Each structure stands twice: as C-alpha cells, then as structure tokens.
Amino acid sequence: GSDESSESEGGAGEAAEGAGEDIEGAFADARDRWKIDAGTLKGFYFHSASSRLYGWNQARGILYEYDSATGDCTPVWAAACPQLNAEIWTVLPLPPTDPASLQPTSGASVSALASGDVL
C-alpha cells in the first residue's frame, strides 16, 4: 500500500533547524533509495546516514547535493568530468536510469548468473 500524506504548511524556509526533518519527511520515499520520475528521468536520493539529499538529472548527467541550510543545489558530480568527486558513487548507488547501473559490477551478481540460478 501507498500511504501518502500531504502536509502543506506555509513558511517552509522559516526555520532552518527543522529543515532536516522536513526534508526527510518530504523525501521519505527516497530514503536510502532512488526515487525516479519516469517522465523526466530526474531522481532524488535521501542518504539517511548523513541526512543529505541528492538530485540526479539523467539528461544532463549531473548529480546535485541539496544544502538544507542555504536551500541551494550544488553540482557534486558530472558525467562530463567523471573523475571529479567519483568517490560519491562509493556512498550512493548508481541511479537506475543510468546505463552504467545495468552493468554488473560486483562478483556476487556475476557468480549468481554463472551458477545457473534463474531469477
């Protein structure tokens, strides 16, 4: 079941101290997983361990980090310059819209296929 509640209270930017909970609540369906909009191929990922929100723009190949203190989105990784900040992908899984996410990278997935198990 989908259990959506929409709380719409004015003044979202009034209190920065409560912003963390607001973001976590607003992006609950993106908590530690990619939430992709099928129409735009843009997605969000809320990394609960660091309480950071990331945005992915597939068309541009850019990963953004949202700064809850300032309300700014800063590019942290771009396909045009993949070496820069590449370590972010050791923390976040690849977005499912990215062609690279379709390639098996771990030995576990390769051995599962090689063992003859039918998925």
Side-chain angles (χ1 to χ4, degrees):
S2 121
D3 164 286
E4 294 178 12
S5 64
S6 63
E7 294 174 82
S8 151
E9 292 177 32
E14 284 177 14
E17 58 215 44
E21 292 94 25
D22 292 348
I23 289 170
E24 192 168 352
F27 292 95
D29 55 350
R31 183 182 172 95
D32 297 321
R33 69 182 199 91
W34 283 105
K35 173 68 174 172
I36 303 291
D37 180 303
T40 64
L41 296 184
K42 292 180 181 178
F44 293 98
Y45 187 100
F46 181 77
H47 188 253
S48 64
S50 64
S51 294
R52 294 187 180 192
L53 178 66
Y54 296 92
W56 173 247
N57 184 323
Q58 180 63 46
R60 293 185 174 182
I62 298 177
L63 178 73
Y64 298 89
E65 182 178 341
Y66 175 73
D67 184 338
S68 58
T70 64
D72 294 334
C73 285
T74 307
V76 291
W77 185 88
C81 191
Q83 308 85 349
L84 189 66
N85 294 331
E87 66 277 2
I88 191 69
W89 300 116
T90 65
V91 177
L92 301 180
L94 291 174
T97 53
D98 193 84
S101 72
L102 303 175
Q103 300 170 3
T105 54
S106 73
S109 58
V110 172
S111 63
L113 293 173
S115 72
D117 291 344
V118 177
L119 300 176

